[in-house]
Amino acid sequence: HSINNEAAYDDLVITNFMAANSYTGFKRTPSGLYYKLNTPGTGTDPITNNTTVTMTYTGYLLNAAIFDQYNTADGSGTNMDIPDLIPGLQEGLKNYVTTGAYVSFLIPSTLAYGKVAQSSIPANSVLHFDIRVVSVAP
């Protein structure tokens, strides 16, 4: 099968996934990223390309398979540099999140890995992330 408009296909996949799983409260950005701020952050430091974010997270495929996670019992998190993240996470973290936030993202393949498969992520995969931002450092 050939997908002529990957962004439109991703959007259809995401909206069908949300309907099938009773996901509500997500907002769509102009780029096609969906996000839901489950717990607003209390921090005031902006997240930029020069920021290191300490976070706990779980990354899922839409079939609920976990492809990556970092969750600790003490909630300490792991450090991530913004430029090292996929475009969807960069956009979401920089524009909608501060320290203390708990957010869910549904990231279209066009803002993730696109047509290139990764070790446990098939090509053209929409990704679901749940992220808690522990701290933000410039």
Side-chain angles (χ1 to χ4, degrees), residues 7 11 26 43-44 57 62 66 84 90 106 111 125-126 128 134 138:
D11 203 60
F26 278 80
T44 57
Y57 67 91
L62 294 189
I66 295 173
D84 295 338
Q90 289 184 39
L106 294 171
L111 296 175
S125 291
V126 171
H128 172 196
V134 177

Side-chain angles (χ1 to χ4, degrees), residues 19-90:
N21 292 281
S22 301
Y23 278 34
T24 60
F26 278 80
K27 296 179 181 175
R28 184 186 186 281
T29 71
S31 70
L33 173 70
Y34 284 79
Y35 72 97
K36 179 179 182 181
L37 198 54
N38 301 303
T39 303
T42 56
T44 57
D45 292 329
I47 297 175
T48 69
N49 283 338
N50 300 318
T51 302
T52 298
V53 177
T54 303
M55 67 174 91
T56 61
Y57 67 91
T58 303
Y60 307 88
L61 300 175
L62 294 189
N63 67 2
I66 295 173
F67 64 83
D68 192 13
Q69 66 180 337
Y70 190 93
N71 295 297
T72 55
D74 66 0
S76 58
T78 187
N79 294 334
M80 299 282 198
D81 293 328
I82 294 298
D84 295 338
L85 302 174
I86 58 174
L89 288 178
Q90 289 184 39

Side-chain angles (χ1 to χ4, degrees), residues 37 39-47 93 96-102 133-134 136:
L37 198 54
T39 303
T42 56
T44 57
D45 292 329
I47 297 175
L93 292 171
Y96 308 108
V97 180
T98 60
T99 299
Y102 176 57
V133 178
V134 177
V136 175

